Amino acid sequence: MSKAAELAALIGSQTALSNRNLIINGAMQVAQRGTSSTTVGYQTVDRFPNSFGTIAVTQSQDTDVPSGEGFTKSLKQLITTASSATDAFFSAYQVVEAQNLVNSGWDHTSPSSYITISFYAKASVTGTYTLQLRSDDGTARNYNTQYSLTADTWTRVIKTIPGNSGLTINSDNGIGLYIFFNVEVGTDYSDNSIGFDGWVTHNGSQQVADLTNNLMTNVNSTFHLTGVQIEVGEQATAFEHRSFGDELAKCQRYYIRKKADSAYTFFGAGFNATTSSSRIHINFPVEMRAAPTIGQSANSTFAIYSGVNSPGFSADATVNNPSTHGTALTTTHPSSTLSVGYGALLMANNSTSAFLEFIAEL
């Protein structure tokens, strides 16, 4: 083979291997909201919320990782209140956007077309754990498969999943598949008639086969996860390590947090609409999945600067005509001291805890 042909083959192979991972933030690098939380849902590692009931869990971004695999972060789940109740449950998960699956090359309606899921997991309790996929469009369907972990040992798990003629995934920006890492579920949600390694119609009270690993019944038990990858085909390849910047941009399609890096961080500019309100425009660094909702820190952490400082808000900022590219905020102030039509800057009010968040999660 000529040098030119060798180079072309090398370039082709590299292109084929890039951007193959359909999971976002699988190396758990990005945690815009924070690094530890006792609250359910999206709280720490981006794109990986948790779901639990009856028990209590602390989720965190952790530095315990499999040795020699190039990871620096993992998602850690710590059981702080144990339970053996039949309605107890606990999962970490990611929701994959539908159009990302539909345009991936996977024919989800064909049993001879496959995706392969791989990940590294570690639990403090030896036992059998389940991976569950659930579709959302059409008739919701589940696929369950099981794997074993030895206590306190990182294990790479690889599972190949076929398509199914009854599987519906729309080509849109909605939910494609839930990927649940079911640590354990109570018998209110399990039934041995379900079985493993096949697509079945979703039933909320019969989601998985009966499995007990006793992790939920032990206070201070832990479950770690990193290196999550979904790729088209029947073979698992080495984890696709992406830069922090690349992963952050992918995460920002679903969630953006603008936070104060200093006491008087600048957030946006606009004008005074009335003597007690300002209209501030915020640009997004990427196009978001959908027009977002807004969250913010305490009103007292913000100020409008318009020739003179107008400390604090008298009400939370409100969104005006949000789009996927940016939005305008109306800020309301406790005194009528603003000059109508004058320029206005939204700033932190001598506070490093000020933040705005824009939410378009699935």
Side-chain angles (χ1 to χ4, degrees), residues 10 47 53 56 78 104 114 217 225 242 283 299-300 306 319 321 325 327 346:
L10 177 62
R47 307 297 304 127
L78 169 68
S104 68
Y114 299 87
T217 61
L225 182 69
R242 295 193 283 241
N283 286 315
N299 293 328
S300 60
S306 183
V319 177
N321 301 316
H325 299 281
T327 191
L346 174 60

Side-chain angles (χ1 to χ4, degrees), residues 5-177:
E6 289 177 359
L7 180 60
L10 177 62
I11 293 172
S13 66
Q14 294 301 309
T15 301
L17 289 174
S18 64
N19 295 308
R20 68 192 185 281
N21 190 1
L22 297 174
I23 290 290
I24 296 173
N25 201 29
M28 314 297 171
Q29 296 185 75
V30 181
Q32 294 184 79
R33 296 168 176 86
T35 57
S36 183
S37 175
T38 59
T39 306
V40 71
Y42 288 101
Q43 302 295 336
T44 58
V45 174
D46 279 56
R47 307 297 304 127
F48 281 92
N50 66 11
S51 177
F52 58 83
T54 304
I55 65 169
V57 177
T58 296
Q59 58 170 298
S60 61
Q61 186 186 51
D62 200 61
T63 56
D64 185 350
V65 295
S67 177
E69 299 297 337
F71 299 104
T72 61
K73 298 290 190 294
S74 64
L75 174 64
K76 177 183 178 180
Q77 309 279 358
L78 169 68
I79 306 295
T80 56
T81 300
S83 175
S84 58
T86 60
D87 63 346
F89 64 92
F90 169 45
S91 297
Y93 65 99
Q94 180 162 138
V95 188
V96 182
E97 190 171 337
Q99 59 191 353
N100 292 346
L101 286 163
V102 171
N103 294 298
S104 68
W106 178 42
D107 182 358
H108 59 274
T109 63
S110 171
S112 59
S113 184
Y114 299 87
I115 54 173
T116 296
I117 302 177
S118 56
F119 56 93
Y120 295 83
K122 176 183 175 181
S124 60
V125 176
T126 295
T128 303
Y129 297 79
T130 60
L131 173 71
Q132 177 188 1
L133 281 65
R134 191 176 82 210
S135 66
D136 189 69
D137 296 320
T139 299
R141 298 178 71 82
N142 284 350
Y143 186 100
N144 291 286
T145 188
Q146 60 184 330
Y147 60 97
S148 297
L149 296 178
T150 300
D152 301 318
T153 303
W154 279 104
T155 301
R156 192 184 189 203
V157 179
I158 300 173
K159 296 292 181 177
T160 299
I161 316 295
N164 184 273
S165 60
L167 196 59
T168 300
I169 302 176
N170 296 331
S171 184
D172 58 22
N173 66 346
I175 295 170
L177 286 175

Side-chain angles (χ1 to χ4, degrees), residues 224-247:
H224 285 78
L225 182 69
T226 196
V228 183
Q229 180 158 286
I230 297 179
E231 54 196 312
V232 177
E234 298 180 65
Q235 299 296 321
T237 62
F239 181 80
E240 180 187 346
H241 288 278
R242 295 193 283 241
S243 72
F244 180 88
D246 286 347
E247 292 288 22

Side-chain angles (χ1 to χ4, degrees), residues 207-218:
Q207 296 194 41
V208 298
D210 292 334
L211 278 177
T212 302
N213 54 43
N214 297 319
L215 190 140
M216 290 197 306
T217 61
N218 287 279

Side-chain angles (χ1 to χ4, degrees), residues 339-357:
S339 298
V340 177
Y342 278 47
L345 300 177
L346 174 60
M347 304 177 68
N349 184 29
N350 193 24
S351 171
T352 56
S353 62
F355 72 86
L356 295 170
E357 61 179 359

